[in-house]
Amino acid sequence: MSKPKVFEKPIGVKDYLPHAVTKLRQIENQVLACMSSWGYEQIMTPTMEYYDTVGVASSTSDQKLFKLLNNRGTTLVLRSDMTAPIARVVSSVLKDAQFPVRLSYHSNVFRAIEEEAGREAEFFQTGVELVGDASPEADAEVVALAIASLKAAGVNRFKIAIGHVGFLNGLFEEALPGQSAAQEELKAYLLGRDYVGYREGLRKLTLPDAMRSELEGITRLRGGQEICSQAMALSLDQTAQASIQHLCEMWDVLEAYGVCEHVLIDLTMIGDFKYYTGMTFEGYAADLGFPVASGGRYDNLLKQFGRPAPATGFALKTTRILELIGDHVSETRTERVLIGYDAAGRHAALNKARELREEADTVSGGNSGEAIVVVTEKMDGADAQRAILAASDSADGQVNYKGVTFTKLLTFFAGGQGGTSR
């Protein structure tokens, strides 16, 4: 393998230039503010965790974990999600906290990838975990909050598809009792959205025609509350029936939230069936073929850390949202002020800069939708002349100085404060 060039990066990671970082921070701040208004408090956890604890408990497959050794030879992992680290915190540092616990986060996560175009090894997620509540109300809350969070991020056209792991577990156990390998194969097809493979898998099995037809028909079970009654008729299995009842109760709560226009029931939506234990969901934006949000119930995770408790949550794919919304992030109006000075005018110039920045802090605290950026520079005679000339020649009041556009120029030179450009 050849030595990488000095400008190369590892595959799957990227640089975020100032404009992209500004947009990313706007999304982050708007979404976290939304989550805070629902009672979720932000948490931060280490980038590195022990493989034998968080790494093993994570929903990420072992081959997709970034592993490294510390100086004692202990295997560490870069966090691949935030759910397992938060489960560790709730079970240890917050072990005395009364349930339910509501936590939010924004962080980068890492997953080892094959060298495929478009796949990211490091990306950002913003999400919540609601720990200690097993009710349909809790599941509906995180779905409703996911909808509110997507809107806060600037995503307006999207659908949330919800399903339940228990429905397929019960249905397949009733149709294929004791045939765990066949059940897992069918669920794997559905997890990968491979409906052709799913139907071919059914044809290979020895099943009555009526049963095979019913199992094929679940791929068409998508819609609103009417799907619940249709699903109830498909299986008498208690697990399947209880799962559908849970979704029906969730729907009632989502109706009360007033968000059902964004939601559909999709009974092939199972998420990672080895990790999730109940309701699962994914959010799809109209202009993007990949999920921008995903979540569900994972009631078995916390017991791995010694504090058994039900839990549910979701994560927004913040990096994908950044790609989706492009430049349409915020309506904040930014005034960019350039202050030029020489040695004699330095004191007055820097005082003026401080005053403007303090005014900006006051304005931003009032949420006026305006921001002020103040840049100071000591200028020699040629630079000063260039800046003043650019201001006087500008028809729209803007000043282009060294490749950056400013809305105003203030000058502090030995001869006194110069003119301003507005």
Side-chain angles (χ1 to χ4, degrees), residues 331-335 359-360 362-372:
E331 296 181 358
T332 300
R333 297 180 299 277
T334 302
E335 181 179 12
E359 289 176 11
T362 303
V363 169
S364 62
N367 297 318
S368 67
E370 296 182 353
I372 302 174

Side-chain angles (χ1 to χ4, degrees), residues 395-413:
D396 58 4
Q398 295 189 335
V399 182
N400 190 287
Y401 179 74
K402 295 185 177 180
V404 179
T405 299
F406 296 89
T407 56
K408 181 182 290 186
L409 170 67
L410 300 177
T411 56
F412 293 80
F413 298 115

Side-chain angles (χ1 to χ4, degrees), residues 2 24 41 61 66 128 132 180 193 223 258 265 274 295 299 385:
S2 60
L24 184 66
E41 298 178 296
S61 61
F66 275 104
V128 303
S180 58
R193 295 297 183 185
I265 295 175
K274 295 179 181 177
D299 288 348
Q385 188 66 28

Side-chain angles (χ1 to χ4, degrees), residues 98-313:
Q98 185 175 347
F99 289 143
V101 173
R102 289 177 170 86
L103 298 172
S104 65
Y105 60 85
H106 174 84
S107 68
N108 53 343
V109 296
F110 305 85
R111 295 178 190 172
I113 59 170
E114 299 294 332
E115 295 187 4
E116 302 172 10
R119 300 298 298 276
E120 294 182 325
E122 179 188 15
F123 51 95
F124 292 92
Q125 291 185 337
T126 313
V128 303
E129 309 297 346
L130 172 49
V131 182
D133 190 339
S135 70
E137 297 273 347
D139 284 335
E141 177 178 316
V142 298
V143 172
L145 178 52
I147 292 170
S149 298
L150 285 170
K151 291 180 178 179
V155 182
N156 297 313
R157 299 171 58 227
F158 60 89
K159 281 287 186 182
I160 300 288
I162 62 174
H164 200 293
V165 172
F167 172 71
L168 288 178
N169 287 342
L171 180 65
F172 286 158
E173 182 58 33
E174 184 180 49
L176 302 163
Q179 300 182 52
S180 58
Q183 293 179 32
E184 297 298 300
E185 181 181 359
L186 293 176
K187 285 188 282 188
Y189 285 132
L190 294 176
L191 179 63
R193 295 297 183 185
D194 182 1
Y195 298 131
V196 173
Y198 174 73
R199 287 190 287 270
E200 290 177 352
L202 286 174
R203 294 189 188 105
K204 295 176 184 177
L205 299 172
T206 304
L207 290 168
D209 290 341
M211 177 63 72
R212 180 179 290 105
S213 178
E214 285 187 355
L215 292 178
E216 288 184 355
I218 67 171
T219 60
R220 297 185 292 274
L221 282 178
R222 295 190 191 92
Q225 195 170 23
E226 73 280 359
I227 297 301
C228 291
S229 57
Q230 296 176 30
M232 284 287 195
L234 279 179
S235 175
L236 298 177
D237 179 84
Q238 290 185 352
T239 300
Q241 292 270 317
S243 301
I244 296 303
Q245 183 61 37
H246 188 94
L247 290 180
C248 290
E249 294 177 22
M250 275 185 63
W251 188 273
D252 290 339
V253 181
L254 291 170
E255 276 191 333
Y257 276 114
V259 298
C260 285
E261 63 178 301
H262 295 288
V263 181
L264 62 88
I265 295 175
D266 179 354
L267 292 180
T268 65
M269 174 68 60
I270 59 174
D272 184 344
F273 51 86
K274 295 179 181 177
Y275 180 74
Y276 289 113
T277 59
M279 177 277 303
T280 64
F281 71 91
E282 287 184 342
Y284 288 87
D287 303 317
L288 195 66
F290 301 99
V292 292
S294 62
R297 177 161 290 281
Y298 51 96
D299 288 348
N300 293 332
L301 178 61
L302 271 85
K303 69 181 180 182
Q304 298 183 53
F305 294 94
R307 191 185 185 189
T312 184

